[in-house]
Amino acid sequence: MNIVSFKEKSGQPKYKQIVNSIEKAIANNVLKKGDKLPSLNIIRDTHKVSRDTVLNAFNELKNRGIIHSIVGKGYYVLNENVEVSKKIFLLFDELNSFKEDLYAAFLENLSKEVEVDIYFHHFNSSIFNKLIDDNLGKYTHYIIMPANINNASFSINKLPKEKVFILDQTNNKLKKYASIYQNFENDIHKGLFTALHKIRKYNKLILVFSSTKQPLGIKLGFINFCSQYNIESEILNSLKDNTTEKGDVYITLEDKDLIKVIKKIKENKLVISKDVGIISYNDTLLKEVVENGITTISTDFNYMGKRLAQMILDDERIVIENPSKLIFRKSI
């Protein structure tokens, strides 16, 4: 089956004419999902073009998710939607309420010609590395949330630099890539300074921090703030053996720890804001209403998603620090 044709005086590169021919065959139902394409060598020999020309055409279609290759067998139609111009590999650490806001804002601001596949590594370096390795060469763009994965740059460096966008957390090894990120060390310091007049009415500032999941910058910013303003402080890995006392103010990074703190306060017959303060990280609708409102330090996840979509559509290779602020409510 000869599905490729050329127009010598079209002014269009030959690889692009191969792409257009295959797209036309799919659109006209000449080729359907699962059908095998003519081999690189057959198209090369039939039309007297270079093998690289055919390979470039196949790689473009492959990156857009229109075709895929099976080692030792050839290329097959994977997707009949030939309108897809960009196919995105999106790797999150985990999905929670505020990441859902980011994801929704991202999708909402993309065009219909963009297709997104989302994956999760759950802070597991083996899963992280495997997901990247298994998807090399399959997408036009790779958006990666590396979290605190050790040596994340090792796998990311396997990808073409111009196709990579780093999301949420970055580090010195990833600074060569386009990114939109949170400055965790600066954000918590700035947020706590805004609340300093409230914090001073308490005896001790307590950060509940898990080193396996949380950005190190939060811990460093907390330590610097407490040292700079002479605030008595403590860092807890867990609330399991903690005794909540009057005069404590907690900073929780996980929603489950926020619930545990509220539960402990009530068990000890203490009153939020009067006896014990709470500051939570990452704002959600729930935190607006729980216990008459929980004070939060939060980046703008909606803006992050919207701005990321703009970067993809406009092909911007820039580094952006996402804005953050403290939202006062009745918990301190």
Side-chain angles (χ1 to χ4, degrees):
M1 178 172 56
N2 185 16
I3 62 170
V4 174
S5 62
F6 292 94
K7 293 180 180 179
E8 293 299 330
K9 296 182 180 181
S10 71
Q12 194 172 51
K14 288 186 175 180
Y15 90 91
K16 197 65 178 178
Q17 292 189 56
I18 297 173
V19 170
N20 292 342
S21 295
I22 294 172
E23 288 179 340
K24 184 178 179 180
I26 294 172
N28 292 334
N29 292 319
V30 175
L31 285 173
K32 296 182 179 180
K33 185 174 181 178
D35 286 351
K36 186 177 181 179
L37 298 176
S39 71
L40 296 171
N41 292 337
I42 287 175
I43 296 177
R44 176 197 65 186
D45 296 342
T46 301
H47 298 282
K48 309 303 181 187
V49 294
S50 72
R51 194 173 189 277
D52 285 345
T53 296
V54 186
L55 186 59
N56 286 340
F58 278 22
N59 281 339
E60 178 178 318
L61 290 165
K62 186 177 177 182
N63 286 339
R64 287 165 51 200
I66 306 299
I67 67 174
H68 71 130
S69 61
I70 299 177
V71 178
K73 293 187 176 182
Y75 290 83
Y76 295 80
V77 178
L78 178 64
N79 187 347
E80 295 180 15
N81 180 12
V82 295
E83 298 301 318
V84 173
S85 62
K86 294 179 173 66
K87 188 165 184 183
I88 297 173
F89 172 90
L90 177 59
L91 181 55
F92 270 24
D93 46 23
E94 64 180 358
L95 189 63
N96 46 39
S97 57
F98 45 90
K99 300 281 177 60
E100 285 183 10
D101 290 342
L102 190 166
Y103 181 56
F106 177 59
L107 293 183
E108 184 180 339
N109 287 278
L110 292 173
S111 63
K112 64 180 181 179
E113 295 83 16
V114 180
E115 202 169 89
V116 180
D117 292 337
I118 186 169
Y119 302 86
F120 302 93
H121 60 72
H122 301 289
F123 306 94
N124 184 307
S125 59
S126 296
I127 294 174
F128 179 88
N129 295 330
K130 188 175 188 305
L131 284 171
I132 293 178
D133 287 345
D134 287 351
N135 288 284
L136 293 173
K138 294 182 179 179
Y139 293 86
T140 59
H141 299 77
Y142 293 81
I143 301 172
I144 298 172
M145 192 178 283
N148 53 5
I149 296 291
N150 288 328
N151 297 316
S153 60
F154 177 79
S155 288
I156 295 173
N157 286 340
K158 297 177 184 178
L159 300 166
K161 177 185 173 183
E162 69 276 6
K163 293 185 176 184
V164 175
F165 294 79
I166 302 300
L167 183 61
D168 199 42
Q169 288 192 56
T170 189
N171 55 56
N172 286 334
K173 292 182 179 180
L174 299 175
K175 64 183 180 180
K176 66 181 179 180
Y177 297 108
S179 65
I180 181 164
Y181 71 98
Q182 295 188 64
N183 186 336
F184 292 97
E185 184 172 352
N186 179 69
D187 289 349
I188 191 169
H189 190 285
K190 181 180 68 175
L192 293 177
F193 175 76
T194 303
L196 181 60
H197 62 291
K198 296 279 190 178
I199 291 170
R200 289 215 183 270
K201 76 178 186 179
Y202 297 96
N203 299 326
K204 183 163 60 173
L205 188 59
I206 300 171
L207 174 67
V208 186
F209 182 86
S210 169
S211 59
T212 58
K213 293 180 66 175
Q214 301 301 338
L216 179 61
I218 291 179
K219 182 178 179 180
L220 295 176
F222 173 82
I223 292 171
N224 290 339
F225 171 80
C226 294
S227 173
Q228 183 176 352
Y229 296 102
N230 197 28
I231 305 292
E232 184 179 348
S233 62
E234 184 177 1
I235 298 176
L236 301 176
N237 291 321
S238 167
L239 288 166
K240 184 178 179 181
D241 299 318
N242 174 253
T243 302
T244 303
E245 298 179 356
K246 186 174 181 178
D248 292 340
V249 54
Y250 287 85
I251 303 172
T252 62
L253 309 179
E254 298 281 340
D255 286 353
K256 64 180 180 180
D257 288 329
L258 172 61
I259 294 169
K260 288 177 182 177
V261 167
I262 293 172
K263 185 178 178 182
K264 284 176 175 286
I265 291 170
K266 292 187 174 183
E267 286 174 349
N268 292 334
K269 301 188 185 311
L270 299 172
V271 178
I272 294 175
S273 183
K274 179 182 176 183
D275 300 319
V276 179
I278 303 175
I279 300 172
S280 182
Y281 225 85
N282 298 317
D283 200 42
T284 63
L285 288 173
L286 187 64
K287 292 171 188 177
E288 290 185 27
V289 296
V290 168
E291 296 296 322
N292 296 314
I294 302 295
T295 296
T296 61
I297 297 172
S298 185
T299 198
D300 188 336
F301 287 102
N302 284 300
Y303 176 82
M304 182 181 280
K306 181 179 180 180
R307 192 64 184 85
L308 177 63
Q310 185 180 342
M311 290 170 69
I312 295 293
L313 294 176
D314 296 343
D315 200 29
E316 292 182 283
R317 307 292 169 181
I318 56 177
V319 176
I320 300 173
E321 182 177 319
N322 207 56
S324 172
K325 64 180 179 180
L326 181 130
I327 303 171
F328 272 116
R329 297 196 182 103
K330 294 183 178 180
S331 64
I332 57 171

